[in-house]
Amino acid sequence: MASGIKDKVAILGMGCARFGERWDTDADGLMVEAFEEAVADAGIEVSQIDAAWLGVGFDAQNTGPSGIPAAVALRLPNIGVTKVENYCASGTESLRGAVYAVASGAADIALAVGVEKLKDTGYGGLPTRTRGSRWDMIGVTGSAPGNFAQLASAYRAKHRVDQSDLKRAMAHVSVKSHANGAKNPKAHLRKEISIDSALKAPMIAEPLGLFDCCGVSDGAACAIVTTPEIAKSLGKTDIVAIKAMQVVSSNGWEMQADQWDGSYLHTTRVAAKKAYDEAGITDPRRQLSLTEVHDCFSITELITMEDLFISEEGQGWKDVLDGVFDAEGKVPCQIDGGLKCFGHPIGASGLRMVYENYLQLLGRAGERQRADAPTFCLSHNLGGMPSQNVSSVSIIGPLGI
Amino acid sequence: MPSGILSYGLYIPRRRLQRASIYDTNKWFAPGLAGMAKGEKAIGNWDEDSVTMAVEAGRYCMDGIDRSSIASVSLASTTLPFVDRSNAGIVKEALNLSDNVSSHDRTGSLRAATSLLMQSLQGDDLELCLAADRRKAKVASVEEMNYGDAAAGFLTGSGNVIAKYLGGRSKTIDFVDHYRETGADFDYAWEARFVRDEGYQKILGSTIVDALRELAISGEEIDHAVIAVPVKAVPQKLAKVAGIAPDAVADISMATIGDTGVTHPLLMLAMTLQHAKPGEKVLLASFGQGADVLVFETTEQLQAVNERQASYLRSGLADSNYARYLFHRGMLEIDKGMRAELDEKQPGTSLSRDRKTVLGLIGGRCSQTGVVQFPKTDLAVNTESRISGTLEDYPLADRVAKVLSFTADRLAYSPDPPGYYGMIDFEGGGRMTAEFADIEEGEVEVGTQMRMVFRIKSFDELRGFRKYFWKAIPIRRGDC
């Protein structure tokens, strides 16, 4: 078995643009905003960057093809810039590229940048697009909420959860994230909401109402990574290291074989097991300090708590209602507001999650800072739809634990 | 062996537009429609056309029939979606008939279906004769009150016929009671009194009389007279002239279904056969630039086929949403929103490659493990067999499925919102994420039993194309 990525790569610096409806700027401007923060944080010259990865979800609305737009916008030296797209895991995928480049020894310092300019589409929600010529003939051209709403129907049927109990738990997920987002100056949505307003919101895709859906935002985030040794040589003391990076793709089993019951994310379970092995985690509920999960929809966050083995299967909704994942709870989830309120610029989201975990580990999270020093911090992405998707689980923490 | 009818099938869309809803909106302009503002008419959903409705009628026709024995498939309609692409050919793919069948589109007259039937009855081959129409009518017109959507089909040939063909008579006269030029949306119709006197009475009436005389059958011998003239009292009057008893005249079904155009004679014949008894003589008469008259005699086989068929006249769903009806016929420009702007271009290449997958809903069954999947792929989903090419064709369209997960989507564009879709598992294996059609709120739950129907998936308005695929509908009481 491979030795894994644990403690082989350190985060030298990170940056994150203010997320939101950024009518004032384009993808280039968003990347620059995040990049300048990251470079200053890293304390390096741009000329020291050996390689870069760019994560973008919808390139037609954003940067256009290739890695060139990042190289031009950031005036990178003539280095390799690789554009990656893996649905909503695109940002995490860019970080994985940079991390693997450093771990392999091919690069001393590597850059990951993720960006998405979604608000040039003219409407809320994600753009509709082709998924390939065969899919377009036989697939359903639904919406992201419609795809994920189906999780709720299957989960409810399997675990015999009353519709009103599940709706209430889903509302709690969103109310919690709004409360967290209100404390985050870079978040897209900074207004607290009540359980009642969440429950009474207009229906988007049954049973998901408006407040069960995350914000669709413009934004960018960056990470500059290097080896722990180089980080130390550059004068860094509190070194945040990569503990695990796992990306798992569906192979058609959920959608085409007859075994998956539609109530959970198969890929997340596989990715979580691999990531815990890689990081040396045996009891995630006890050992994880923080989680930033892919709460594209409230039901996704709730079920992800089970798929990450933090909640027992079928019990996640009870843990939610018990406040386990609130900012002051046992395992806070989305302490920065999550996709729900920080926002969800697809290509940036995976890096934004790591950014929050990084700030929390360094005690730089301001009003949101957890009092007890965090150790293992997890981030999770889910791209595509429950029946066919890519799931990533990344864990970072202090070097050496 | 005598030729005749081996089976029949009907498809009447579920929604029934209340004529009062048309009148209520238009009475400011056309108060004269008041007398017609009662009853209802069958209307196809946005995703139905003459091809999809014909497929449905065809499926009912072939219940219990070996599809590989069918020699030809024909579709009669004045509303064929394609002028140059065999519409019957699309039906053939959806019904998974052999590539060796012949196919024919029949159009040009409301008589197209009876002429087709008459020709098919000349031979011994198994021929599938389908009729479907979905006509548009101008707002506030008499036609709008009358026209309904439906499809009907008959399987003809020799052998165990349910109705023996005794013979028939055709007349062709270019009598222009109404017309629609190629490419036009609407009919232009002449005064009803003129059509009644000079058309129905003279042309159709004389053809009925001539046919009976030539067949040496007296009017009194006719047990059922299916005179497909959608005008009250006219069938009775024509029957009387031919010496047919008043109570033998079939109801024209205007109150509940409407005038279904080319389909109407076949629709009425099928509905008549449903309550006919063995050994009865049935006359079928249709009108359109001339007339067709056919005479049948039912056999002992009729009972078995009648029992096998669904109760087609199960109550439809009353619908008073006139605005939706207009929108679904392209007669009301609704702001569909930007999400409707997705380019629906269909590459001819991929449709050609995946013809059976898309039009026939053919999945694959692994010859090594027996696992069924959709769509068919080079490498099977079950990873035990790692070699390519183990999947054999496996038709899924006629298999019952069960809902595993679903939603009602109000965000994605749907012409009939909310858009219902979900994952379904087929009995015997195989699953897919499918759109659901004709759903009313509260009709679907996890575990609901579904059947597949052939429907329009989307329109490419830019290039004038429509994509077809299969959708799931709940199995309702009375369904096959």
Side-chain angles (χ1 to χ4, degrees), chain A residues 230-241:
Chain A
I230 295 173
K232 282 177 197 163
S233 74
L234 290 169
K236 298 281 177 185
T237 48
D238 292 338
I239 292 177
V240 174

Side-chain angles (χ1 to χ4, degrees), chain A residues 181-215:
Chain A
K183 294 179 183 168
N184 187 344
K186 287 186 176 176
H188 179 175
L189 304 170
R190 302 198 59 204
K191 195 171 152 229
E192 297 197 28
I193 60 163
S194 68
I195 292 283
D196 207 40
S197 59
L199 288 173
K200 286 182 179 158
M203 195 59 78
I204 301 296
E206 287 170 27
L208 304 179
L210 180 64
F211 288 114
D212 292 305
C213 306
C214 75

Side-chain angles (χ1 to χ4, degrees), chain B residues 15-22 39-43 144 317-322 325:
Chain B
R15 279 189 187 149
R16 307 295 159 89
L17 186 64
Q18 304 301 298
R19 292 195 173 97
S21 70
I22 305 175
E40 55 191 23
K41 61 177 204 166
I43 55 168
E144 185 184 41
L317 187 69
D319 182 2
S320 294
N321 194 337
Y322 177 53
Y325 165 78

Side-chain angles (χ1 to χ4, degrees), chain A residues 121-124 134 136-140 142-143 145-146 149-150 153 156 204-206 254-258 260 387, chain B residues 338-339 342 346 350 354 374-376 381 404-411 421-423 429-431 445-446 457 469:
Chain A
T121 50
Y123 53 93
R134 192 179 213 202
D136 288 350
M137 293 186 289
I138 62 175
V140 173
S143 67
Q150 294 178 55
S153 69
R156 200 161 62 76
I204 301 296
E206 287 170 27
E254 300 98 310
M255 198 175 260
Q256 291 170 5
D258 294 339
W260 180 64
S387 55
Chain B
M338 289 185 182
R339 282 190 188 80
L342 183 70
Q346 169 65 61
S350 58
D354 285 319
F374 183 84
K376 216 172 143 181
V381 66
L404 183 80
S405 66
F406 77 101
T407 190
D409 192 335
R410 291 173 192 278
L411 185 66
Y421 53 91
M423 185 169 268
R431 64 166 47 171
E445 256 306 335
V446 170
K457 180 168 166 54
F469 190 49

Side-chain angles (χ1 to χ4, degrees), chain A residues 46-53 77-80 102 106-111 230:
Chain A
V46 173
S47 60
Q48 291 175 265
I49 298 171
D50 296 318
W53 274 260
N78 290 125
I79 55 173
V102 167
D108 281 342
I109 297 178
L111 167 73
I230 295 173

